Amino acid sequence: MNQEKILELDFKDSRDSYLLDRREFLKVAGGGIFILFSMWDVSVFAQERQSRGRQGLPTDFNAFLKIGEDGRITLFTGKIEMGQGVITSLAQELADELDVSLDSVGMVMGDTDLCPYDMGTFGSMSTRFFGPPLRAAGAEAKRVLLELASERLNVPVKNLVVENGIVIDAKNKRDKVSYAQLAKGKKIAKHISSTVPVKRPSEFKIIGKPENRRDAVEKVTGKAKYSGDIQLAGMLYAKILRPPAHGAKLVDVDLSEARKIKDVEIIHEGELVAVLHKYPDIAETALQKIKAKYDLPKTNIDDKNIFQHLLDSKPKGEVVEKEGDVKSGEKESENIIEQTYYDGYKAHAPIEPHTAVVKIEDGKATVWASTQTPFGAKEEVAKELNIPAKNVRVIPPFLGGGFGGKSRNVQILEAARLAKLSGKPVQVAWSREEEFFLDSFRPAAIVKIKSGITKKGKINLWDYSVYFAGERGSLVFYNIPNFRTTVYGSGGRGIASAHPFATGPWRAPGNNTNTFARESQIDIMAEKAGMDPFEFRMQNLTDKKMRNVLQRAAEKFGWKHAKASSGRGYGIACGIDAGTSVAAIAEVDVNKKTGHVQVKRVVCAQDMGLAVNPEGATIQMEGCITMGMGYALKEDIHFRNGEINDLNFDTYEIPRFSWLPKIETIIIDNKEADPQGGGEPAIVVMGAVIANAIYDAVGARLFQMPMTPERILEALKKG
Amino acid sequence: MIENVQFKLNGKAIKITIDSDRMLLWVLRTDFGLTGTKYGCGEGICGACTVLVNNEAVRSCQTSIKEIKDKDVVTIEGLVKDGKLHPLQKAFAEHDALQCGYCTPGMIMTAASFLKKNPKPTRKDVIEGMDDNLCRCGAYNRIIQAVQSAAKKMNGGN
Ligand code: FES
Ligand code: FES
C-alpha cells in the first residue's frame, strides 16, 4: 500500500513553497477568498509572535480560512486533533458563521507548511482563545461574500440571505449565487485583527448543537492514519538501546550478535546505539541481542523519600496571591488545621506511544509525528539537522492521545538524527517500556495548608504553599478574608536537580494536585465546624458560577445533608480550570478488608460559558472523570536509583471498564458567555471528590495520592 | 523458522514464505500494510492489537504466524462488507464511542467476537467481556452503549 498517496489526498493543498510572508503566501495559496486572523488574547499571542519572528514566518496572523473557487471552506490551523474533538467544534463555529453545512468545511491541521505558526495544542486554549477570532473570521468572510453577491445580483446586502452557502435575494428567491461562483477567479485576502460582529446565540444554527465526531468513520474503519501508520518507500524502523536507569552511563557495548541478523543496520555514534531494519519486530529482535554495560547511578532517591528530597531542593517561593493578614487570621480563628498533602509521579500513558517518521531529501526534512507542538518540533529538527527551519515540514497525523505528554519531541529528534545518519527514511516508534521510561511525568508534589475557621464556620485563614505542582488551580475562590498562596517551583520541568527524570504538563497541569489538597482541607474544616460539606462550601462561597454548579450537582445527585463521616460514601469537590467552574459529587464503596474502592456514581456539573459542541464537551467530561479515577486511586510511578519500575500496564494500572461508575454530567446553559476550556476541567476534582467520599464511607482520611488499598488500610488503622 | 504459510486474511487466501516466529501484529502492519491494527503494549495487556482468528478475539502482538496457519484472520479493515460499515463500526461512530480512536479497532474486534458468544449482553456482561481492553481517553461508557446498541441491530431490532 502506498501511504504517501493517501497523505496526498488528505493534504491536497500541499506545495513546495513556504509561508514566508503574506505576499508570498498569497502567491502560492491558489485562488479564492482568504481571511487571515490571529488570536486576540495578547498575553497568549505575544509569546507566539516572538517564536514566529524567529522562524521567519508571518507575524500578523496565525490561522486563515479559505473559500476556494469550488466553494469549499478550508480552515488552516496549527492546532492538532488528539481526541479532544476540535476537528469538530472549530468546524462548527466556522460553518455557523458562514451559513454553510458542516460537511462543506474542511480542516488542515498542524501542517507546518500549510498552516501559520501556532504555539501548540494544550492548556484548553483552542476553543477559548482561538474560537472567538475564528468566528469573527467566518463572519468577515460572509460579509465579503455578501458584498460580492450584492454587486453580482444587483441587490442591496440587506435584502440578501444565505442558505447553505447560497446567497439568495430574499425578495426574489430565484435570484441567487453560490459561494463557489462568487469565489471563482477571485484572489481576495482580508486580515482581521479586531472584533467583527458575530452571530448572537439566538441566531446559532450549528454552534451549541451536539454533533458527532467528524473523524469517527475513519477511526472505526482503521483508515485513520497515526504516525506509526506512515510507511514510506525504503523506510527503516529503528530501535534504540536504552539505559536501564536514568543517569546511567554506557561503558561498553557488544554489537556482534546483533550484526548477525540479516539486513540489519547498526548505528553507533557516541551514546546513541540503534538497530534499523525494514521490519520493526526484527529490529527489536536485533536490539535484544546487544550486550551493553552501564555505570549505574547511586542516587538513593526512590518514590518514598522523594518528597523529602523535593522539599530539601525547593526553589525560592513566590507569593502569587495575598489578601488581609494571615497572622491576624490565625489569631482570630477558633480552629486551626494544618495538613500536608502528597502526590506521586504519574505517566501520561497514551495508548499510542511517541512515534515519528523522518525523511530527508535534498536538504529538506519531512516529519510525520505524534506531537502537540508541531511548530516547536520544526525548530528543534532544524537545529538537530543543522538546516534552516524553512526546510523542515512537520505533518502531524492523528494523535493517539496526548494529555500534555506529547509536547516534548524527543522521539522526533531521534528519528531525525537516525534518518540523517542512515540516509534513509526512519520511523522511531517507542515501545510501551520506552514510553514509560522516557515520559515526562506529572511531577510529584507537596501541598502544605494552614487554615482556620471562626466559631460560625467561616473560613478566616488560608495559608497555602505548593511545592513543584505549580500555580494552576492554587488560587482561592472561597471567600476568605486572610489568605496567602505561595508557589515553590513551577509545575513544568521543575528545577534541574530536583526531579530524577523529566517532568512536564499532564492534563490540567498542577490543578489535580492543588484541587486534591484544597478540597480535602475544606472537608476537614467542614467537619471541624460541625457542618455538612455542601453547606460549609455554600456558606463560604459567593462566586456565582461556582455556587450554581455546586447547587446543580447537588440537586441532580439528591444530596441530603449529613456530617462526614456518615457511612454513605458521598464526597464533594469543586474546582476551576481553564476558566471553567466545575463541581462533582461522588458515591464510593470501600471494602474495609481489602481497601479496595469502587466509585459507584459521579455527578459533575460544569459552567464552561458557551459550549460550542455540547456532545463533544460531554465526552470530554466523561473522559476526564474516567481518567481522573486513575490518578486518584492507582497511578503512581515507582522508581529507585533512576530505574523506573513500572514499565507496562500490568503494574501501572489505568482505569478500565470494570472501574466505571454511573456518570451523569451537566453543562450549564450559558451561551452568552465566552467559551472556556473543556478538555481538562472535570479531571481536577477527581482526587478530592474520591478522598472525601472515602472519608465519608469509612472515616479514613487520605493525604496522599494515589489512594491505594494499602494506604486506605493504613489510614483505617490510624482511624 | 522460514516456511510457507497459508491462511485467510479478510476473506482472501494468502500464501507466503515467511519467518513463522514473527508476530502477527507486525506482519499485518508492515507486510500487508494493514495499519488499522495497533500496537499499545506488546504484552497482551491493552488489547489495541486485537484481531479475529477463526472468530475468536486474539492479541496479535502475542500470536505468531505459526499459530494462524490455515486459519481465518479478520482485521478491522475486513469488517467493512461491500462498502458498508459493520453494525459495531456504525454504532461506535453514532455513539461517539471514541476520542483519539487509537484503541478503537481493538475494541471493535473484541466486541465482534464477544457478541458472537453473547448476542444479547447486559451492561455488566459487556464490562466483563471487554475489561481487558484499555482506553486512556476514557470512552468506556460510550463503548458499552455502542456495543449494546450494535447487538440490538444485529439481532434484527432497531
Ligand atoms: S499491543 Fe497487543 S495487547 Fe497491547
Ligand atoms: S479513544 Fe483514545 S485510547 Fe480509547
Side-chain angles (χ1 to χ4, degrees):
Chain A
M1 213 195 309
N2 186 340
Q3 307 294 348
E4 278 174 295
K5 267 261 168 56
I6 289 174
L7 275 166
E8 249 163 44
L9 290 178
D10 289 345
F11 300 94
K12 56 176 176 289
D13 287 276
S14 70
R15 51 177 197 274
D16 286 319
S17 314
Y18 293 81
L19 302 180
L20 277 180
D21 62 27
R22 187 122 60 103
R23 267 214 326 272
E24 175 114 353
F25 152 69
L26 285 172
K27 250 196 301 189
V28 298
I33 298 167
F34 297 86
I35 310 290
L36 319 178
F37 61 101
S38 51
M39 294 212 240
W40 292 331
D41 191 292
V42 256
S43 58
V44 184
F45 196 47
Q47 240 186 52
E48 281 213 352
R49 247 209 284 260
Q50 273 183 9
S51 347
R52 229 176 311 160
R54 269 208 312 277
Q55 293 194 14
L57 292 166
T59 53
D60 58 348
F61 66 98
N62 70 345
F64 64 93
L65 75 91
K66 167 181 175 176
I67 293 125
E69 294 184 88
D70 54 359
R72 254 197 96 62
I73 320 283
T74 311
L75 171 65
F76 295 81
T77 164
K79 301 284 173 218
I80 54 98
E81 174 60 45
M82 53 182 165
Q84 83 283 35
V86 286
I87 196 169
T88 307
S89 58
L90 294 179
Q92 275 182 279
E93 296 191 272
L94 195 51
D96 204 332
E97 289 298 340
L98 270 163
D99 282 316
V100 296
S101 71
L102 189 54
D103 291 338
S104 56
V105 178
M107 303 278 283
V108 175
M109 305 182 75
D111 184 323
T112 60
D113 254 24
L114 304 179
C115 307
Y117 180 89
D118 182 272
M119 206 169 34
T121 309
F122 46 73
S124 289
M125 294 202 292
S126 301
T127 314
R128 259 194 304 165
F129 299 115
F130 190 69
L134 170 66
R135 285 180 52 200
E140 176 66 9
K142 184 175 157 191
R143 199 187 61 75
V144 172
L145 286 158
L146 282 176
E147 265 173 25
L148 290 171
S150 156
E151 259 171 54
R152 173 90 69 111
L153 300 174
N154 209 3
V155 174
V157 168
K158 67 173 181 357
N159 292 352
L160 295 173
V161 291
V162 184
E163 274 167 31
N164 249 329
I166 315 269
V167 189
I168 305 166
D169 177 358
K171 295 214 170 111
N172 176 9
K173 295 236 162 157
R174 251 176 292 148
D175 268 358
K176 55 186 166 188
V177 57
S178 70
Y179 280 0
Q181 289 166 314
L182 292 169
K184 187 118 210 124
K186 294 276 178 342
K187 189 133 200 166
I188 299 175
K190 287 250 166 186
H191 185 248
I192 55 160
S193 50
S194 63
T195 320
V196 177
V198 294
K199 283 190 176 176
R200 282 189 308 272
S202 58
E203 299 169 287
F204 290 161
K205 291 198 194 100
I206 304 175
I207 296 176
K209 299 274 168 340
E211 285 288 345
N212 279 108
R213 297 191 63 92
R214 306 179 76 213
D215 52 5
V217 172
E218 281 165 279
K219 287 180 174 176
V220 299
T221 51
K223 286 212 184 86
K225 295 286 168 213
Y226 299 81
S227 300
D229 304 337
I230 307 296
Q231 300 175 343
L232 308 174
M235 183 183 88
L236 298 180
Y237 293 88
K239 284 281 152 195
I240 298 168
L241 184 71
R242 304 292 180 190
H246 289 277
K249 280 264 160 295
L250 182 63
V251 286
D252 194 24
V253 61
D254 174 3
L255 301 167
S256 54
E257 286 301 309
R259 277 195 213 287
K260 288 186 189 153
I261 290 182
K262 200 167 160 257
D263 297 332
V264 75
E265 246 179 71
I266 295 189
I267 286 176
H268 184 182
E269 198 194 61
E271 289 263 306
L272 175 70
V273 179
V275 286
L276 291 78
H277 194 274
K278 72 172 171 157
Y279 294 131
D281 46 328
I282 310 266
E284 177 65 40
T285 310
L287 181 73
Q288 299 305 328
K289 301 230 181 289
I290 295 179
K291 291 185 204 90
K293 264 205 213 103
Y294 286 90
D295 256 349
L296 294 174
K298 266 259 164 296
T299 63
N300 285 326
I301 298 174
D302 61 22
D303 47 278
K304 302 219 167 48
N305 61 28
I306 183 70
F307 299 104
Q308 194 51 51
H309 164 79
L310 287 175
L311 288 173
D312 292 344
S313 27
K314 68 170 193 280
K316 233 179 112 245
E318 192 195 331
V319 177
V320 293
E321 212 188 24
K322 187 171 161 350
E323 213 173 279
D325 175 32
V326 288
K327 285 255 159 56
S328 52
E330 184 167 352
K331 255 187 248 139
E332 294 153 12
S333 292
E334 170 80 9
N335 252 312
I336 301 284
I337 298 132
E338 226 177 323
Q339 286 301 352
T340 306
Y341 299 87
Y342 303 91
D343 192 5
Y345 293 99
K346 321 278 177 204
H348 296 88
I351 307 291
E352 177 208 31
H354 284 66
T355 304
V357 175
V358 176
K359 174 174 102 176
I360 306 173
E361 223 171 43
D362 307 327
K364 288 185 179 178
T366 312
V367 178
W368 292 263
S370 45
T371 173
Q372 293 177 240
T373 53
F375 285 87
K378 177 184 166 105
E379 269 192 272
E380 291 169 61
V381 168
K383 224 163 125 208
E384 176 73 39
L385 298 178
N386 202 11
I387 57 178
K390 71 176 172 61
N391 288 355
V392 179
R393 176 182 184 180
V394 181
I395 307 171
F398 284 116
L399 265 73
F403 317 113
K406 287 175 182 162
S407 356
R408 212 159 142 261
N409 298 317
V410 178
Q411 93 282 16
I412 302 181
L413 299 187
E414 291 175 345
R417 203 169 152 196
L418 290 169
K420 185 176 176 180
L421 291 169
S422 71
K424 303 202 176 86
V426 168
Q427 179 176 129
V428 170
W430 285 357
S431 67
R432 179 54 54 194
E433 290 72 19
E434 288 173 293
E435 185 69 23
F436 272 105
F437 184 73
L438 298 168
D439 191 14
S440 47
F441 299 124
R442 163 169 142 191
I446 302 119
V447 176
K448 293 186 177 181
I449 311 176
K450 189 181 207 179
S451 67
I453 40 177
T454 65
K455 267 203 199 95
K456 289 200 173 119
K458 285 268 191 196
I459 311 173
N460 194 35
L461 162 72
W462 187 256
D463 194 1
Y464 187 97
S465 303
V466 49
Y467 305 85
F468 295 98
E471 181 181 338
R472 190 156 156 184
S474 70
L475 304 182
V476 168
F477 55 80
Y478 291 97
N479 274 359
I480 308 173
N482 307 296
F483 67 83
R484 177 171 67 185
T485 305
T486 315
V487 177
Y488 297 84
S490 79
R493 311 224 41 199
I495 52 169
S497 64
H499 299 292
F501 27 63
T503 61
W506 192 103
R507 203 171 191 176
N511 206 336
N512 296 298
T513 310
N514 281 317
T515 297
F516 167 67
R518 178 191 62 248
E519 294 297 305
S520 297
Q521 185 86 356
I522 297 283
D523 260 42
I524 297 173
M525 291 194 287
E527 194 192 358
K528 275 264 159 43
M531 286 173 81
D532 164 271
F534 171 82
E535 195 189 346
F536 181 78
R537 281 182 174 77
M538 279 305 198
Q539 165 158 316
N540 285 286
L541 268 174
T542 47
D543 181 308
K544 266 216 195 105
K545 254 169 94 178
M546 190 56 84
R547 284 182 68 93
N548 187 33
V549 286
L550 182 53
Q551 184 68 45
R552 291 286 300 276
E555 279 163 16
K556 177 119 192 167
F557 186 88
W559 182 267
K560 298 230 168 47
H561 288 210
K563 276 187 292 174
S565 71
S566 70
R568 301 176 303 182
Y570 293 178
I572 299 187
C574 302
I576 297 179
D577 188 73
T580 292
S581 300
V582 45
I585 305 186
E587 179 185 351
V588 305
D589 216 12
V590 183
N591 183 323
K592 278 195 185 178
K593 280 204 197 89
T594 61
H596 175 79
V597 175
Q598 181 80 34
V599 182
K600 288 164 71 182
R601 186 179 173 211
V602 177
V603 172
C604 185
Q606 99 179 12
D607 185 337
M608 56 191 302
L610 167 67
V612 174
N613 182 6
E615 170 83 355
T618 305
I619 294 176
Q620 284 301 310
M621 286 176 79
E622 292 170 358
C624 279
I625 291 165
T626 309
M627 186 175 180
M629 291 191 296
Y631 79 71
L633 293 170
K634 284 282 168 65
E635 292 179 39
D636 204 4
I637 288 292
H638 300 92
F639 62 95
R640 192 176 153 70
N641 281 335
E643 194 183 331
I644 307 292
N645 299 333
D646 299 293
L647 293 171
N648 213 319
F649 295 119
D650 49 352
T651 60
Y652 193 88
E653 280 184 74
I654 62 171
R656 49 175 71 229
F657 278 99
S658 50
W659 289 36
L660 210 61
K662 180 168 185 222
I663 298 175
E664 293 154 87
T665 58
I666 303 164
I667 295 176
I668 306 289
D669 185 16
N670 193 2
K671 288 199 180 59
E672 303 291 335
D674 285 339
Q676 304 294 336
E680 303 173 297
I683 199 171
V684 307
V685 287
M686 289 311 292
V689 83
I690 292 175
N692 291 339
I694 292 173
Y695 184 78
D696 188 52
V698 294
R701 175 57 64 187
L702 277 292
F703 295 97
Q704 182 165 356
M705 292 200 291
M707 298 171 270
T708 56
E710 302 76 59
R711 289 189 180 136
I712 289 170
L713 292 178
E714 208 176 295
L716 272 169
K717 250 190 255 153
K718 276 189 208 148
Chain B
M1 189 173 76
I2 308 279
E3 58 176 321
N4 293 324
V5 180
Q6 298 189 12
F7 60 98
K8 239 163 116 194
L9 178 56
N10 294 334
K12 262 200 253 151
I14 303 282
K15 265 188 202 172
I16 44 165
T17 308
I18 193 169
D19 175 353
S20 61
D21 292 324
R22 290 182 61 201
M23 291 298 158
L24 180 59
L25 169 65
W26 302 113
V27 175
L28 286 173
R29 289 182 53 82
T30 50
D31 301 49
F32 292 98
L34 294 173
T35 52
T37 306
K38 303 295 187 210
Y39 167 91
C41 71
E43 288 187 3
I45 311 170
C46 76
C49 65
T50 306
V51 299
L52 299 184
V53 176
N54 288 356
N55 282 328
E56 275 294 323
V58 306
R59 312 241 142 157
S60 64
C61 72
Q62 301 294 301
T63 308
S64 68
I65 293 296
K66 240 191 236 122
E67 296 165 78
I68 59 144
K69 273 194 213 160
D70 302 318
K71 295 199 174 149
D72 191 352
V73 178
V74 180
T75 69
I76 188 75
E77 290 90 348
L79 279 194
V80 178
K81 286 266 149 62
D82 308 321
K84 278 214 196 84
L85 298 189
H86 184 279
L88 273 165
Q89 292 174 309
K90 249 181 129 174
F92 268 65
E94 277 165 11
H95 286 264
D96 272 330
L98 55 113
Q99 290 175 39
C100 78
Y102 194 82
C103 70
T104 310
M107 289 284 179
I108 291 178
M109 298 317 281
T110 305
S113 128
F114 166 73
L115 285 185
K116 288 213 162 94
K117 288 181 209 146
N118 185 349
K120 287 185 185 162
T122 61
R123 185 181 166 88
K124 208 168 142 250
D125 293 342
V126 181
I127 290 176
E128 274 168 22
M130 308 223 8
D131 204 30
D132 286 335
N133 278 59
L134 299 178
C135 171
R136 186 55 157 169
C137 300
Y140 297 126
N141 210 14
R142 281 161 192 264
I143 294 174
I144 299 171
Q145 290 165 12
V147 172
Q148 285 193 299
S149 105
K152 267 199 206 116
K153 288 252 161 73
M154 289 161 77
N155 292 328
N158 290 304

